[in-house]
Amino acid sequence: METTLNRRLGVPGIVLMVIAAAAPITVVAANFPIIITVSGSIAVPLMALTAMLILLLFSVGFSWMTPHVPDAGAFYSYVDRGLGRRAGLGTAAIALFAYVLLTVSMTCYLGVQAGNLIQLWTGMELPWWLISAVMLVLVGFLGYRDINLSAKVLGIVLVLEVVAVLAIDLGVLFSGRELTSTPFSPVEAMSGAPGLGVLFVFLGFFGFEATAVFRNEARNPERTIPRATYIAVLSIGALYALSSWLVISGLGEGNAVSASSENPDQVVIGLAGQVVAPIMADIVQVLVVTSMFACMLAFHNIVTRYLFTLGQRGVLPGSLAQVHHRHHAPSRASLWVSAVTSAVVVVSALAQLDPVQQIYTWYSGAGAIGVIVMMALTSFAVVAFGSRARKSAGQAPSGLVTAAAVLGGIGLLLVLALSIWNLPLLVGGSVAAIVWGATLVIVFAAGAALPSRAGTAAAEEPAVLTPKA
């Protein structure tokens, strides 16, 4: 009888999942203008390189600890092993909360972008929530099935995205427009509200923990996960730094902030039409929609694997750890993710929240802070675990690994402090910021208080989910 998930994913498959979650064309066409607008600065390339450096330092300890974390709980499992069961459970609660918020924010923004595209092509004006509902059904369908189906869909979308981003970069490069070095200036980076800029730059990297989330479906995870992690962080960081520099140069050093603020949805799309060909603007609009869908699917799969692991450990009902007998996927966990995300979208729509200015901005900002909290905890979990290994004559980390983990943790704490300091600007006031901050604390505390079976992070064998006839 089949009792485990299929180990089919290699390094390329996992890297595709991670970079697809980062949604490169969405970051370039939609997030770059938002980063420029909220930060009031054009130093996006320097912010991207800073984020990449911090995440590389983080990845050193993360990769060293991977062989010692035998299940697919990602940050939750690492914190569990390093800082104890209660801290791990609190991290798991933050993970579920943050990634559900990120999934919902992308779902609602996708409804708007796809609606704009449909209206442009057909003249029909459809409500964003109707389109978001259709996307939730499609994501639920793919998430219910074998992860390789999702990987194939994400792979196709990702290749098209990267080609489009590189086409825009080359278009600017050969357009004869002046290439400016100001975006790499530390002085420029500290102008405006750099905390919000860095927060949204980090948002473009999120999903890279999928390298560990898909552990149960990875071939030779002790080697696959570290390699995929480094490749993903370096690839995403280099692409963002290069593309943001060229986009800002294409818009013009003195014009980038005002142009982004006036028309954030269309400024990069318009640039693509100018420097490549008019049809490129239409292509980018389509790819932004498919990119958001890919990101939404990737986040859905991440939350599903968290529920799967929590079901294995007895923190949540064991039925969540059941594996479909034909699809070899955590299908029941996927159904629960679909139900929860759909419910949050429905409540948000009924509350008449604006899908971009409120749902996307608030939810993605709070979700981003939650993920940064988890990464900081993971860095210090690596240090704590390594310290215990050294005392017990186990396989202790080298001094370089420990130093990298500490520096990565400090860097993440600085990013977190900047993000929290600027959170009122993001969510519309100090009261709203306090509410979101208090919510994250309550979620962590509630998770830490959950009962669970005692034991280590070792995963149990999942049961097989047999569908009803």
Side-chain angles (χ1 to χ4, degrees), residues 120-404:
L120 177 66
W121 286 357
T122 68
M124 290 194 307
E125 188 173 349
L126 298 176
W128 68 266
W129 51 264
L130 178 61
I131 300 171
S132 294
V134 174
M135 298 303 175
L136 284 167
V137 171
L138 292 175
V139 165
F141 174 82
L142 292 170
Y144 188 83
R145 281 154 175 76
D146 190 336
I147 191 64
N148 279 284
L149 178 58
S150 292
K152 289 174 183 176
V153 172
L154 295 175
I156 293 170
V157 172
L158 179 62
V159 169
L160 295 174
E161 285 186 59
V162 173
V163 169
V165 170
L166 293 178
I168 296 172
D169 292 346
L170 291 173
V172 172
L173 197 59
F174 292 106
S175 67
R177 304 189 183 202
E178 183 181 357
L179 302 179
T180 174
S181 62
T182 304
F184 295 96
S185 166
V187 175
E188 176 65 23
M190 294 309 296
S191 64
L196 288 181
V198 172
L199 176 64
F200 276 93
V201 167
F202 264 84
L203 186 60
F205 285 83
F206 287 171
F208 88 98
E209 71 161 302
T211 56
V213 167
F214 296 108
R215 179 188 180 92
N216 288 341
E217 292 144 293
R219 294 194 300 266
N220 192 6
E222 284 73 20
R223 295 176 60 188
T224 299
I225 293 172
R227 290 179 182 178
T229 300
Y230 286 122
I231 291 172
V233 172
L234 286 169
S235 300
I236 294 170
L239 183 64
Y240 288 172
L242 174 65
S243 298
S244 60
W245 171 54
L246 290 171
V247 163
I248 290 166
S249 295
L251 295 174
E253 176 183 338
N255 187 51
V257 174
S258 59
S260 298
S261 302
E262 291 168 6
N263 197 9
D265 291 341
Q266 295 294 320
V267 63
V268 175
I269 293 173
L271 176 66
Q274 294 170 18
V275 299
V276 181
I279 195 174
M280 191 65 188
D282 295 329
I283 293 173
V284 171
Q285 280 188 302
V286 173
L287 288 176
V288 166
V289 171
T290 58
S291 172
M292 287 183 171
F293 178 81
C295 181
M296 180 182 164
L297 175 59
F299 284 149
H300 175 99
N301 284 329
I302 289 173
V303 180
T304 296
R305 270 66 190 174
Y306 266 104
L307 289 181
F308 177 77
T309 300
L310 292 169
Q312 286 182 316
R313 295 210 193 170
V315 178
L316 295 179
S319 60
L320 292 172
Q322 292 178 339
V323 177
H324 197 285
H325 81 295
R326 186 170 71 253
H327 302 305
H328 311 292
S331 300
R332 183 160 294 179
S334 177
L335 288 175
W336 273 99
V337 175
S338 295
V340 171
T341 51
S342 297
V344 177
V345 170
V346 168
V347 171
S348 301
L350 290 176
Q352 298 185 336
L353 297 179
D354 183 271
V356 178
Q357 297 299 325
Q358 294 174 313
I359 297 176
Y360 179 75
T361 304
W362 293 356
Y363 291 11
S364 62
I369 288 176
V371 175
I372 293 171
V373 169
M374 291 191 294
M375 288 194 290
L377 286 170
T378 302
S379 289
F380 295 114
V382 171
V383 176
F385 183 81
S387 177
R388 289 202 305 274
R390 189 175 291 108
K391 292 177 181 177
S392 62
Q395 188 179 355
S398 67
L400 288 177
V401 170
T402 301

